[in-house]
Amino acid sequence: MSDIDTKPQVVERTKTKQPPLYKVILLNDDYTPREFVVVVLKAVFRMTEEQSYRVMMTAHQLGACVVATYTRDIAESKTTEANDMGRSAGHPLEFSTEPEE
């Protein structure tokens, strides 16, 4: 017959795995002023006034609230920045980071 190969070519593509995500959690305390928490949420997490207020109130009512989800480095960086803002102002404001399930 002919020398033409009629088999379809298979192209293998590797799929890039997404990095694991981490949650940044705002923990409620009875000493940090609500207005200050809103300022920190707006500054560090780039939230609007309304979003910041909702997150702050959720943490106040439930004891904790997930603020956002990021890759590990970004989550830890934002957590550190927010905690440092609280400490520098003399408040016990506390954010934590944990893996998303």
Side-chain angles (χ1 to χ4, degrees):
M1 289 288 278
S2 101
D3 293 333
I4 299 174
D5 188 13
T6 58
K7 293 181 184 177
Q9 290 184 347
V10 178
V11 178
E12 291 186 28
R13 297 182 187 182
T14 57
K15 190 169 184 177
T16 315
K17 185 177 177 182
Q18 294 293 325
L21 297 176
Y22 286 75
K23 300 182 281 190
V24 176
I25 301 170
L26 168 61
L27 304 172
N28 185 49
D29 65 73
D30 294 331
Y31 302 104
T32 305
R34 294 178 181 183
E35 296 79 18
F36 182 76
V37 176
V38 169
V39 168
V40 171
L41 290 170
K42 287 171 59 178
V44 176
F45 298 98
R46 306 288 188 247
M47 293 183 168
T48 64
E49 182 86 23
E50 185 178 325
Q51 291 170 328
S52 300
Y53 184 78
R54 279 195 220 146
V55 168
M56 179 272 302
M57 286 305 295
T58 302
H60 178 70
Q61 292 167 350
L62 301 178
C65 180
V66 175
V67 177
T69 306
Y70 301 104
T71 58
R72 182 178 180 188
D73 292 341
I74 295 172
E76 289 178 351
S77 172
K78 289 193 177 280
T79 298
T80 302
E81 184 181 353
N83 286 337
D84 289 347
M85 278 183 76
R87 286 189 185 87
S88 68
H91 300 297
L93 182 62
E94 186 71 30
F95 288 83
S96 68
T97 304
E98 68 180 44
E100 187 171 61
E101 297 170 359

